[in-house]
PDB file of all heavy atoms in Angstrom:
ATOM      1  N   THR A 378       4.973  52.231 -26.957  1.00 98.00           N
ATOM      2  CA  THR A 378       5.360  53.650 -26.925  1.00 98.00           C
ATOM      3  C   THR A 378       5.382  54.239 -28.326  1.00 98.00           C
ATOM      4  O   THR A 378       4.914  55.365 -28.551  1.00 98.00           O
ATOM      5  CB  THR A 378       6.735  53.810 -26.264  1.00 98.00           C
ATOM      6  OG1 THR A 378       6.690  53.311 -24.928  1.00 98.00           O
ATOM      7  CG2 THR A 378       7.179  55.267 -26.250  1.00 98.00           C
ATOM      8  N   LEU A 379       5.922  53.480 -29.261  1.00 98.00           N
ATOM      9  CA  LEU A 379       5.981  53.941 -30.647  1.00 98.00           C
ATOM     10  C   LEU A 379       4.581  54.173 -31.202  1.00 98.00           C
ATOM     11  O   LEU A 379       4.298  55.227 -31.800  1.00 98.00           O
ATOM     12  CB  LEU A 379       6.723  52.909 -31.506  1.00 98.00           C
ATOM     13  CG  LEU A 379       6.722  53.171 -33.020  1.00 98.00           C
ATOM     14  CD1 LEU A 379       7.435  54.473 -33.352  1.00 98.00           C
ATOM     15  CD2 LEU A 379       7.353  51.991 -33.769  1.00 98.00           C
ATOM     16  N   MET A 380       3.696  53.198 -31.021  1.00 98.00           N
ATOM     17  CA  MET A 380       2.335  53.345 -31.543  1.00 98.00           C
ATOM     18  C   MET A 380       1.615  54.523 -30.898  1.00 98.00           C
ATOM     19  O   MET A 380       0.888  55.264 -31.580  1.00 98.00           O
ATOM     20  CB  MET A 380       1.547  52.058 -31.318  1.00 98.00           C
ATOM     21  CG  MET A 380       1.956  50.902 -32.210  1.00 98.00           C
ATOM     22  SD  MET A 380       0.793  49.526 -32.027  1.00 98.00           S
ATOM     23  CE  MET A 380       1.566  48.285 -33.084  1.00 98.00           C
ATOM     24  N   THR A 381       1.814  54.703 -29.593  1.00 98.00           N
ATOM     25  CA  THR A 381       1.161  55.817 -28.898  1.00 98.00           C
ATOM     26  C   THR A 381       1.613  57.150 -29.475  1.00 98.00           C
ATOM     27  O   THR A 381       0.793  58.048 -29.731  1.00 98.00           O
ATOM     28  CB  THR A 381       1.477  55.760 -27.387  1.00 98.00           C
ATOM     29  OG1 THR A 381       1.041  54.513 -26.858  1.00 98.00           O
ATOM     30  CG2 THR A 381       0.774  56.887 -26.655  1.00 98.00           C
ATOM     31  N   ARG A 382       2.908  57.283 -29.703  1.00 98.00           N
ATOM     32  CA  ARG A 382       3.433  58.537 -30.238  1.00 98.00           C
ATOM     33  C   ARG A 382       2.915  58.777 -31.654  1.00 98.00           C
ATOM     34  O   ARG A 382       2.501  59.902 -31.998  1.00 98.00           O
ATOM     35  CB  ARG A 382       4.959  58.501 -30.230  1.00 98.00           C
ATOM     36  CG  ARG A 382       5.632  59.710 -30.874  1.00 98.00           C
ATOM     37  CD  ARG A 382       5.390  61.001 -30.095  1.00 98.00           C
ATOM     38  NE  ARG A 382       6.052  62.131 -30.730  1.00 98.00           N
ATOM     39  CZ  ARG A 382       7.335  62.440 -30.580  1.00 98.00           C
ATOM     40  NH1 ARG A 382       8.108  61.701 -29.771  1.00 98.00           N
ATOM     41  NH2 ARG A 382       7.846  63.486 -31.197  1.00 98.00           N
ATOM     42  N   LEU A 383       2.952  57.760 -32.491  1.00 98.00           N
ATOM     43  CA  LEU A 383       2.481  57.938 -33.869  1.00 98.00           C
ATOM     44  C   LEU A 383       0.991  58.243 -33.906  1.00 98.00           C
ATOM     45  O   LEU A 383       0.531  59.008 -34.753  1.00 98.00           O
ATOM     46  CB  LEU A 383       2.800  56.691 -34.702  1.00 98.00           C
ATOM     47  CG  LEU A 383       4.283  56.388 -34.914  1.00 98.00           C
ATOM     48  CD1 LEU A 383       4.454  55.173 -35.816  1.00 98.00           C
ATOM     49  CD2 LEU A 383       5.020  57.579 -35.490  1.00 98.00           C
ATOM     50  N   ASN A 384       0.241  57.625 -32.998  1.00 98.00           N
ATOM     51  CA  ASN A 384      -1.185  57.939 -32.910  1.00 98.00           C
ATOM     52  C   ASN A 384      -1.384  59.413 -32.574  1.00 98.00           C
ATOM     53  O   ASN A 384      -2.222  60.096 -33.181  1.00 98.00           O
ATOM     54  CB  ASN A 384      -1.843  57.056 -31.846  1.00 98.00           C
ATOM     55  CG  ASN A 384      -3.345  57.229 -31.790  1.00 98.00           C
ATOM     56  OD1 ASN A 384      -4.052  56.833 -32.700  1.00 98.00           O
ATOM     57  ND2 ASN A 384      -3.843  57.833 -30.717  1.00 98.00           N
ATOM     58  N   ASP A 385      -0.579  59.928 -31.651  1.00 98.00           N
ATOM     59  CA  ASP A 385      -0.673  61.345 -31.279  1.00 98.00           C
ATOM     60  C   ASP A 385      -0.271  62.249 -32.444  1.00 98.00           C
ATOM     61  O   ASP A 385      -0.817  63.350 -32.601  1.00 98.00           O
ATOM     62  CB  ASP A 385       0.229  61.635 -30.078  1.00 98.00           C
ATOM     63  CG  ASP A 385      -0.261  60.979 -28.791  1.00 98.00           C
ATOM     64  OD1 ASP A 385      -1.438  60.580 -28.752  1.00 98.00           O
ATOM     65  OD2 ASP A 385       0.547  60.851 -27.846  1.00 98.00           O
ATOM     66  N   GLU A 386       0.685  61.781 -33.254  1.00 98.00           N
ATOM     67  CA  GLU A 386       1.202  62.586 -34.359  1.00 98.00           C
ATOM     68  C   GLU A 386       0.318  62.518 -35.606  1.00 98.00           C
ATOM     69  O   GLU A 386       0.527  63.256 -36.565  1.00 98.00           O
ATOM     70  CB  GLU A 386       2.615  62.131 -34.724  1.00 98.00           C
ATOM     71  CG  GLU A 386       3.660  62.320 -33.640  1.00 98.00           C
ATOM     72  CD  GLU A 386       4.039  63.772 -33.435  1.00 98.00           C
ATOM     73  OE1 GLU A 386       3.705  64.609 -34.311  1.00 98.00           O
ATOM     74  OE2 GLU A 386       4.656  64.095 -32.400  1.00 98.00           O
ATOM     75  N   GLY A 387      -0.643  61.589 -35.609  1.00 98.00           N
ATOM     76  CA  GLY A 387      -1.479  61.420 -36.795  1.00 98.00           C
ATOM     77  C   GLY A 387      -0.751  60.734 -37.933  1.00 98.00           C
ATOM     78  O   GLY A 387      -1.082  60.949 -39.110  1.00 98.00           O
ATOM     79  N   MET A 388       0.241  59.908 -37.600  1.00 98.00           N
ATOM     80  CA  MET A 388       0.997  59.179 -38.614  1.00 98.00           C
ATOM     81  C   MET A 388       0.560  57.719 -38.648  1.00 98.00           C
ATOM     82  O   MET A 388      -0.096  57.226 -37.728  1.00 98.00           O
ATOM     83  CB  MET A 388       2.504  59.264 -38.319  1.00 98.00           C
ATOM     84  CG  MET A 388       3.073  60.656 -38.452  1.00 98.00           C
ATOM     85  SD  MET A 388       4.855  60.694 -38.141  1.00 98.00           S
ATOM     86  CE  MET A 388       5.185  62.451 -38.425  1.00 98.00           C
TER      87      MET A 388
END
Side-chain angles (χ1 to χ4, degrees):
T378 300
L379 173 63
M380 288 189 184
T381 302
R382 175 66 180 278
L383 295 183
N384 186 69
D385 291 343
E386 296 288 345
M388 294 182 179

